[in-house]
Amino acid sequence: AGAVLLRVFLELAMIDCLKRLGKLDPLVLRLRDTRKLRHSMPTLGQLVPEIKAIAKPWLTGAEMNRINKALSSDKDAPFNIGDLNAFVHDSDLPSARDIQQFWLRTEPLFRLMLEQDLEGTVQ
């Protein structure tokens, strides 16, 4: 349950951040125009590149490296977003350590999305 909530929290935080920055509607329109929008909102995979581009100038290289590993679907990377998506449909559940490691790698991104107005001041 914790992993499902973490995945949903990640997606909702991304949507909220993009909406506050005025970047969600253009993304939706672009995806709709290219027929890549299957539902009314972008998929998590479609949100990730947008958020990473926003975060890059605000976070350190080390933080972005950890975030890139967490938000990749690279099978060789430790527990990542691909695993977070797949386990919902699989019997191989993540361990508490898997979830904690994902959180530790993505916490700077969550802080950026939820605590800052991206003008440099904390909300």
Side-chain angles (χ1 to χ4, degrees):
V4 171
L5 290 174
L6 180 57
R7 190 227 179 268
V8 171
F9 183 42
L10 176 64
E11 188 168 1
L12 292 175
M14 288 180 177
I15 289 169
D16 178 67
C17 182
L18 290 171
K19 191 179 293 186
R20 284 184 289 117
L21 293 173
K23 297 183 180 279
L24 183 61
D25 288 340
L27 174 61
V28 168
L29 290 173
R30 187 173 74 240
L31 292 171
R32 189 176 295 140
D33 288 347
T34 59
R35 300 183 189 274
K36 294 181 180 176
L37 188 68
R38 293 191 292 171
H39 305 288
S40 62
M41 293 301 280
T43 65
L44 185 58
Q46 292 166 327
L47 296 169
V48 166
E50 304 295 319
I51 288 295
K52 285 176 21 176
I54 291 166
K56 189 174 183 177
W58 294 91
L59 301 175
T60 68
E63 289 170 330
M64 281 306 299
N65 187 37
R66 288 191 304 271
I67 288 165
N68 285 330
K69 286 180 182 177
L71 297 184
S72 78
S73 291
D74 182 0
K75 295 195 183 307
D76 293 330
F79 190 79
N80 60 50
I81 201 166
D83 298 312
L84 203 58
N85 284 325
F87 91 87
V88 173
H89 306 289
D90 197 348
S91 61
D92 186 22
L93 299 176
S95 69
R97 186 176 187 284
D98 290 333
I99 296 166
Q100 181 183 28
Q101 290 301 310
F102 186 85
W103 173 258
L104 292 174
R105 288 193 305 270
T106 57
E107 184 180 7
L109 180 63
F110 275 105
R111 287 188 181 282
L112 179 71
M113 291 187 300
L114 300 171
E115 293 180 354
Q116 290 188 348
D117 65 6
L118 299 176
E119 295 288 337
T121 59
V122 177
Q123 290 187 4

